[in-house]
Amino acid sequence: MGVVIRGIALPQREEVSFVLDGDRLRAGSSTEDAVIDGGWLLPGLVDVHSHPGMEKPGDAYDHDVFRRHMLEHRAAGVLVVRSPGSPDPVPDRPEDPDLPRLYRSGRWLATPGRFFEGYGRRITEDELPAAAVEEASSGWCKIIGDWEQDFPAVPLDVLTETIDAVHAAGGRVAVHCQTPEGNRNAVLAGADSIEHGMNLDHALLPQMAAQGTVLVPTMTTFSRIAANADNGPERFRAWIQAGWDGLFPTVRAAHEAGVTVLAGTDSLPCGGVIEEISWLVKAGMPVEAALGAGSWTARSWLGLPGLVDGGFADVVAYDADPVLDPSVLQKPRRIILRGNVIA
């Protein structure tokens, strides 16, 4: 018989008992001692916007840095990482069983005047549809939909053609948005996810909810940008501060409108999704919804099972209910990844 896990599973709040069967959970019990006996169980935390493998924009991909970043995620109980936009030049790098499960997009797709100079895959607007289909070979692609406040966003017709082409090929599209025009074009074009969403017009929220476009507000990184904005020009400071202040009502309004809001950090150190969950709570999301945004809701959106018979043997245990006491997220009692006891 295999090793046993027992406890109260979230979000169902039901007592469960599983036997580890390789990297899968099997409902049942065993005469052997339980590796987890009691406590509150999550199927691991999820960071849906992280860029492991680089320290700052412009860095080339470094696999040693990637491993360090992913181990930082794992130590925090983050067992799934989505990387929307990657400097990794290998589109289908073999998965490392010691590291969290990785869902990566291809390289950032940047048209002229948008994104950090010389970074990402530089293409023209005419080349965007075909390039997006190529980069989405692993399932996702990431488009830089806009950039600075005074520069126009990718035109609606170009973005619509691109997203339609990726969807026809079976892929999904994440769009970087931080201007009103960029957000508008991404939503109207049918993007699968809005990354950042600063300056998002709330009138777009019903359409986002209806078509399943999720919002990843990355409040963690914007909190740091706003805190350091004094180093920039006055117009930049005003723009960033207004955008940061506006994220709070945007997150609350999006949740209330039925838009799926997910937790992503876009920031170092890796493993900081717990901070992002706390920002979502401060913005007005109920604690359980914010926790789901960084756990079971995010997993479901990525097509991953939770703590169910036959699901992945990815489990993080806590001594108290993290919905009632989110501080326990900082101190996981036990971490199991792919059926292996990590801590």
Side-chain angles (χ1 to χ4, degrees):
M1 298 294 288
V3 177
V4 174
I5 295 172
R6 288 190 288 264
I8 300 174
L10 290 174
Q12 301 92 336
R13 297 183 172 277
E14 297 175 351
E15 292 189 6
V16 296
S17 178
F18 295 110
V19 177
L20 293 182
D21 180 14
D23 70 345
R24 297 284 173 166
L25 298 173
R26 302 298 176 191
S29 59
S30 170
T31 58
E32 296 189 23
D33 292 337
V35 67
I36 299 176
D37 195 357
W40 296 80
L41 311 180
L42 288 180
L45 298 175
V46 181
D47 190 331
V48 300
H49 191 126
S50 178
H51 302 294
M54 67 174 194
E55 293 289 320
K56 62 183 184 303
D59 285 354
Y61 175 81
D62 185 311
H63 196 63
D64 289 337
V65 172
F66 171 82
R67 278 191 55 84
R68 173 164 55 82
H69 286 167
M70 293 293 274
L71 289 173
E72 290 170 357
H73 277 303
R74 192 185 73 176
V78 178
L79 304 186
V80 174
V81 175
R82 171 177 171 260
S83 180
S86 173
D88 187 352
V90 179
D92 298 309
R93 190 177 295 277
E95 193 166 49
D96 188 328
D98 293 332
L99 302 181
R101 301 177 192 274
L102 178 67
Y103 287 74
R104 67 180 296 270
S105 303
R107 293 166 291 175
W108 293 269
L109 292 169
T111 48
R114 306 177 182 103
F115 209 34
F116 300 104
E117 187 63 32
Y119 201 51
R121 178 177 174 181
R122 317 302 293 200
I123 53 173
T124 67
E125 291 178 359
D126 288 343
E127 294 169 330
L128 184 57
V133 171
E134 290 174 4
E135 295 296 334
S137 62
S138 60
W140 279 91
C141 71
K142 169 73 172 291
I143 297 170
I144 306 301
D146 58 23
W147 195 233
E148 297 180 350
Q149 55 185 323
D150 297 325
F151 198 86
V154 175
L156 176 59
D157 60 340
V158 174
L159 200 55
T160 300
E161 179 185 355
T162 301
I163 292 174
D164 285 349
V166 174
H167 285 171
R172 300 166 84 182
V173 182
V175 183
H176 164 106
C177 303
Q178 56 189 20
T179 69
E181 181 189 23
N183 284 290
R184 171 187 173 275
N185 290 357
V187 173
L188 296 184
D192 296 283
S193 69
I194 300 296
E195 308 296 322
H196 312 307
M198 191 172 74
N199 297 302
L200 174 67
D201 183 351
H202 293 190
L204 295 167
L205 295 174
Q207 180 167 344
M208 290 178 64
Q211 68 192 24
T213 299
V214 308
L215 173 64
V216 185
T218 62
M219 298 186 76
T220 298
T221 196
F222 278 113
S223 71
R224 294 169 186 170
I225 294 172
N228 294 305
D230 287 346
N231 298 325
E234 182 177 350
R235 288 191 72 250
F236 174 79
R237 294 200 305 267
W239 180 59
I240 287 295
Q241 190 62 54
W244 166 240
D245 292 342
L247 272 178
F248 289 81
T250 292
V251 167
R252 181 171 60 252
H255 174 72
E256 292 174 351
V259 174
T260 297
V261 179
L262 298 179
T265 59
D266 191 25
S267 181
L268 297 177
C270 291
V273 78
I274 297 166
E275 180 182 351
E276 183 70 16
I277 291 169
S278 71
W279 279 120
L280 297 180
V281 173
K282 291 174 184 176
M285 286 180 65
V287 175
E288 186 161 355
L291 181 56
S295 182
W296 58 82
T297 304
R299 293 179 71 94
S300 176
W301 183 67
L302 290 169
L304 295 171
L307 297 176
V308 295
D309 184 33
F312 291 129
D314 299 344
V315 186
V316 181
Y318 301 93
D319 287 326
D321 183 351
V323 174
L324 299 180
D325 181 10
S327 69
V328 302
L329 294 173
Q330 301 285 351
K331 296 181 179 180
R333 183 211 296 179
R334 185 74 77 191
I335 298 172
I336 296 176
L337 173 63
R338 307 175 200 267
N340 299 311
V341 178
I342 303 300

